[in-house]
Amino acid sequence: MTATTITDPKATVLPLLVGSTWPNAAEALAQVNALPVPGTRTEAWKYTRVGKLFNTEYAAPVAAVSVELPARSPFDTTRVVFVNGYFRSDLSDDLKAQKGLVIDSLSKHLSHGPVKEHYGNIAPINNRLFTAMNGACPTDGLILLVTKGVKVEKPIHVLHVITDEKALIQPRDLLLLHEGAEAELIFEPVGNNVGGSLINTVRESLVGEGAKLTIHLLQNTADGPSMIGLDAVQAHAKGHFSIDTTTLEGSLVRNEVSIALAGPEAHAELNGVYVLNGSTHCDNHTYIGHDVPDCTSDELYKGIVAEKGTGVFNGNVYVKQDAQRTRAYQSNANILQGDDARIFTKPELEIYADDVKCSHGCTIGRFDEQGMFYLRSRGVSEAEAKKMMAHAFMNDVLERITNTDWRKHLAGLIDSKLAAL
């Protein structure tokens, strides 16, 4: 079937979503059939045209037997490997080395009480087509269950290896942190010449009372798959959730974060860095719901867009009427390099309480000409001057990453990317 013969724009994915045994799959499939593909008239997707993703004739992913893994992280982590969306225990580290937590394939735990209680409830479909697609037929995913008061000893590095050229891969993760638990995770897709594949991820996270969950998301796969992802989070009293998203490569990338601050003194911190060139499109779309009093949130995204790259930022902070003493800060700053680079930014505050301190803002500009002149007049090359100014521009985002090893690793990757601009 070619794109010109398709009458239903979802005809390329519907055959792959039939026959799933995951919970609520039938209801999700019904939603897939009912919901339209987002277009330019859909406000939340106005600048990210996903219709072209449905012109590819996808295949079901294959659990490849032989794969070559990239070098390990330069610091100590627990590695968890998925290949084309399927969990691979033979390629993963010993996941039972620490007591008080479960790290495993989610598909093996669907009948367990905590999974049955929370699966699909933190990230309901809510008329979102890609959530419905994922719910209709997840490929596999990670379950992390951390019991009360347990601190995971080292970061968990979740490596998604992609080898299929035109596969629909739908990871489904569930992260459950009980009272006072702490965990740090790194999610990273890797693959070569797999630009025709689509990774559609839904990750649900429950942060219990006084718990702390930190997520690092790295997107740095040249000629990699299109990536549509949703992080849905529910944070309870004094719970702390933070995520940093670094996008350096990708064809079409959409990162959504939806957070419900559901208990007093819950806190959310969102950080993002994107360095885009070529025709890379990256959309960071965030929602933070201040549902109860005395919660805080802090959001900072910065990007450099060059050549024909496109950056999109849409951040919404919603403060309910009873959510008094809310403190919420949101900022997006961008540098454009070249006449064809584009950025669309829309920070939003929606406030129904009166005792709040909230601010938002955005900037779009170019490298400071006076700063460039100052550096060049002191013998610094143009390339090195831009690199220095780019570092200064993004440094405050990187400094918010508390894991110094990961921060140093990201700085090296960003240096390599800046050298190519």
Side-chain angles (χ1 to χ4, degrees):
M1 182 182 293
T2 63
T4 56
T5 64
I6 295 174
T7 55
D8 184 342
K10 293 168 287 187
T12 57
V13 302
L14 287 173
L16 303 176
L17 306 180
V18 178
S20 171
T21 59
W22 286 65
N24 306 318
E27 294 87 341
L29 181 59
Q31 288 291 309
V32 174
N33 282 288
L35 293 170
V37 174
T40 55
R41 294 185 179 180
T42 308
E43 183 63 28
W45 297 83
K46 184 176 181 179
Y47 301 111
T48 300
R49 300 183 180 182
V50 294
K52 61 184 178 180
L53 297 178
F54 296 88
N55 292 334
T56 297
E57 196 73 29
Y58 295 107
V62 176
V65 176
S66 177
V67 295
E68 183 177 347
L69 298 180
R72 294 191 67 101
S73 301
F75 53 94
D76 193 20
T77 62
T78 297
R79 178 184 264 187
V80 183
V81 178
F82 290 81
V83 177
N84 295 330
Y86 294 104
F87 175 64
R88 291 288 298 270
S89 60
D90 58 317
L91 301 177
S92 302
D93 293 342
D94 179 9
L95 304 181
K96 298 181 180 179
Q98 182 181 352
K99 294 182 179 180
L101 68 151
V102 174
I103 308 171
D104 204 353
S105 161
L106 178 58
S107 63
K108 298 178 181 178
H109 297 263
L110 297 178
S111 62
H112 293 182
V115 175
K116 293 172 70 175
E117 180 181 357
H118 298 292
Y119 178 89
N121 292 325
I122 302 173
I125 293 173
N126 286 345
N127 294 323
R128 184 177 183 270
L129 174 63
F130 289 97
T131 304
M133 285 171 51
N134 182 286
C137 192
T139 309
D140 199 352
L142 172 74
I143 180 169
L144 172 67
L145 174 62
V146 189
T147 56
K148 181 178 178 180
V150 171
K151 180 177 180 180
V152 180
E153 294 172 350
K154 51 188 177 181
I156 300 167
H157 188 178
V158 184
L159 194 66
H160 279 277
V161 182
I162 313 301
T163 64
D164 286 356
E165 294 182 2
K166 291 186 178 181
L168 174 62
I169 300 168
Q170 303 201 105
R172 184 74 181 222
D173 301 328
L174 182 60
L175 314 179
L176 303 174
L177 274 65
H178 289 186
E179 180 182 346
E182 294 187 22
E184 179 179 5
L185 297 96
I186 301 165
F187 291 93
E188 180 181 6
V190 297
N192 296 314
N193 301 315
V194 291
S197 289
L198 169 61
I199 301 180
N200 175 33
T201 303
V202 173
R203 183 162 37 249
E204 297 180 287
S205 300
L206 179 70
V207 182
E209 183 175 348
K212 181 177 181 181
L213 175 61
T214 302
I215 291 178
H216 311 289
L217 177 59
L218 173 61
Q219 298 159 330
N220 189 34
T221 303
D223 194 23
S226 298
M227 291 176 281
I228 307 290
L230 169 65
D231 268 282
V233 183
Q234 188 179 98
H236 290 272
K238 298 183 180 180
H240 185 288
F241 172 79
S242 65
I243 183 170
D244 56 87
T245 303
T246 305
T247 306
L248 305 178
E249 296 284 356
S251 53
L252 187 151
V253 178
R254 164 90 168 198
N255 302 311
E256 293 186 49
V257 182
S258 179
I259 301 174
L261 298 176
E265 299 184 52
H267 176 73
E269 182 175 300
L270 282 64
N271 303 307
V273 167
Y274 43 97
V275 183
L276 314 175
N277 64 345
S279 58
T280 296
H281 179 106
C282 176
D283 181 348
N284 287 298
H285 205 93
T286 69
Y287 170 86
I288 303 176
H290 286 259
D291 298 339
V292 298
D294 299 307
C295 292
T296 56
S297 64
D298 197 353
E299 190 172 0
L300 178 61
Y301 282 76
K302 287 192 172 184
I304 298 175
V305 186
E307 298 174 1
K308 295 184 178 181
T310 302
V312 181
F313 174 81
N314 186 184
N316 179 259
V317 175
Y318 184 96
V319 183
K320 287 188 175 181
Q321 185 174 1
D322 294 333
Q324 303 295 345
R325 298 175 298 281
T326 286
R327 303 293 182 265
Y329 307 98
Q330 182 189 86
S331 178
N332 174 232
N334 303 274
I335 290 177
L336 293 179
Q337 186 174 344
D339 295 334
D340 296 322
R342 298 185 302 169
I343 184 73
F344 303 94
T345 179
K346 186 183 178 185
E348 299 176 273
L349 292 177
E350 194 169 349
I351 303 171
Y352 296 95
D354 51 17
D355 182 7
V356 303
K357 287 186 178 179
C358 300
S359 67
H360 68 166
C362 65
T363 61
I364 303 173
R366 299 184 182 275
F367 282 112
D368 179 31
E369 293 184 1
Q370 290 186 343
M372 287 288 293
F373 177 80
Y374 177 85
L375 292 170
R376 294 298 307 279
S377 67
R378 279 151 180 78
V380 180
S381 68
E382 181 178 0
E384 188 64 23
K386 285 184 177 179
K387 178 180 173 182
M388 293 171 65
M389 295 190 69
H391 268 289
F393 173 68
M394 293 184 292
N395 186 62
D396 54 344
V397 184
L398 294 177
E399 285 297 319
R400 288 155 64 110
I401 300 174
T402 57
N403 185 324
T404 55
D405 293 319
W406 182 247
R407 187 197 313 159
K408 184 184 299 184
H409 180 61
L410 288 181
L413 295 176
I414 292 171
D415 276 350
S416 298
K417 180 67 176 184
L418 291 173
L421 295 185

